[in-house]
């Protein structure tokens, strides 16, 4: 899976936080990183809130998201190189000082980079990926890969089978496999559309809430 870095310019206002959280959830869903969504959203909230509180509402800023190896990297850029975020132990009745403590508790690591025209506050979260372009080890994905390998062994020429399937080849094999399953359902008197609807519903539920 390709996980290309992306960034988004925004104005550091409280009303922007919810929108940035939704955008983060959407992108992580597309990247198959559902397990780190809650932590990533919390980090976005706190990093942006830190800019609002210590630099000022209305500050032009940028959210940048990328992969650093198997870690998810979240950066918030702002133009103030003086107001540096610090990790403090906030008292239980304190209204401030908790932001970076929350980030520190959720993220694997975090830090600040200073440039001539901006600072970058960043954090990284462990994803459970086996490689930067791999997938999280989920039972459903593992079962699909086993079936795909078996199907490819029966359908593809030996010279193609002998090497790891490319993404394009895997997609072609998967289409062929799904087509054959649909033929089997029809041959046994099943309602193909109804089965597809059920599969789509189950996929949507598991995609939203995680595989049971």
């Amino acid at each position: 899976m390709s996980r290309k870095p992306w960034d988004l310019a925004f104005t550091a206002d409280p009303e922007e936080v919810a929108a940035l959280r939704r955008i983060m959830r959407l992108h992580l869903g597309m990247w198959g990183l559902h397990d780190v969504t809650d932590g990533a959203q919390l980090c976005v909230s706190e990093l942006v809130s830190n800019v609002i509180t210590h630099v000022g509402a209305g500050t032009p800023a940028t959210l940048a998201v990328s992969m650093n190896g198997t870690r998810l990297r979240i950066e918030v850029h702002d133009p103030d190189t003086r107001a540096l975020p610090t990790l403090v132990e906030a008292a239980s009745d304190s209204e401030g000082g908790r932001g970076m403590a929350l980030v520190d508790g959720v993220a694997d690591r975090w830090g600040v980079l200073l440039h001539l025209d901006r600072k970058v506050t960043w954090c990284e979260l462990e994803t459970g990926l086996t490689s930067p372009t791999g997938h999280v080890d989920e039972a459903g994905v593992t079962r699909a890969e086993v079936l795909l390998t078996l199907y490819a062994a029966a359908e593809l020429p030996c010279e193609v089978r002998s090497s790891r399937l490319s993404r394009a080849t895997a997609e072609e094999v998967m289409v062929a496999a799904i087509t054959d399953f649909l033929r089997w359902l029809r041959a046994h008197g099943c309602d193909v559309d109804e089965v597809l609807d059920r599969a789509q519903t189950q996929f949507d539920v598991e995609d939203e809430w995680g595989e049971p």
Side-chain angles (χ1 to χ4, degrees):
M1 175 182 291
S2 175
R3 299 181 173 92
K4 295 181 179 180
W6 58 273
D7 59 71
L8 177 68
F10 67 94
T11 301
D13 288 315
E15 56 268 24
E16 290 291 322
V17 175
L20 293 171
R21 287 172 57 91
R22 288 194 297 270
I23 291 169
M24 176 62 77
R25 175 174 288 275
L26 175 63
H27 277 274
L28 293 186
M30 294 169 60
W31 282 3
L33 301 181
H34 306 283
D35 291 346
V36 298
T37 297
D38 290 344
Q41 287 184 306
L42 184 148
C43 289
V44 168
S45 295
E46 298 306 327
L47 293 180
V48 174
S49 295
N50 193 72
V51 175
I52 296 171
T53 301
H54 298 290
V55 182
T59 298
T62 300
L63 171 67
V65 181
S66 60
M67 296 299 301
N68 183 16
T70 58
R71 292 187 177 96
L72 175 71
R73 184 178 178 90
I74 301 170
E75 299 178 354
V76 171
H77 301 226
D78 73 73
D80 192 332
T81 58
R82 298 166 300 170
L84 302 181
T86 56
L87 179 62
V88 298
E89 184 175 352
S92 59
D93 59 349
S94 174
E95 294 182 359
R98 298 177 181 273
M100 297 314 298
L102 290 172
V103 172
D104 186 67
V106 171
D108 183 58
R109 56 188 183 179
W110 67 274
V112 182
L113 298 173
L114 293 179
H115 300 272
L116 291 176
D117 59 343
R118 71 189 189 282
K119 75 170 178 288
V120 178
T121 309
W122 60 270
C123 64
E124 294 181 352
L125 288 76
E126 291 285 1
T127 62
L129 291 173
T130 56
S131 69
T133 57
H135 60 77
V136 179
D137 189 15
E138 296 179 354
V141 175
T142 302
R143 290 194 298 268
E145 289 189 340
V146 171
L147 290 173
L148 184 60
T149 301
L150 293 173
Y151 200 88
E155 293 294 316
L156 296 177
C158 293
E159 61 271 16
V160 178
R161 282 187 244 154
S162 60
S163 60
R164 184 175 178 84
L165 293 178
S166 68
R167 178 174 174 177
T169 302
E171 286 181 357
E172 291 300 318
V173 173
M174 186 65 74
V175 169
I178 292 172
T179 302
D180 283 350
F181 279 124
L182 295 178
R183 289 195 183 100
W184 185 95
L185 289 167
R186 186 176 61 186
H188 287 76
C190 300
D191 186 332
V192 172
D193 290 333
E194 191 269 338
V195 172
L196 288 173
D197 287 342
R198 284 168 50 199
Q200 183 67 57
T201 299
Q202 183 171 332
F203 173 79
D204 291 341
V205 170
E206 292 181 359
D207 193 50
E208 175 69 21
W209 299 105
E211 185 179 5

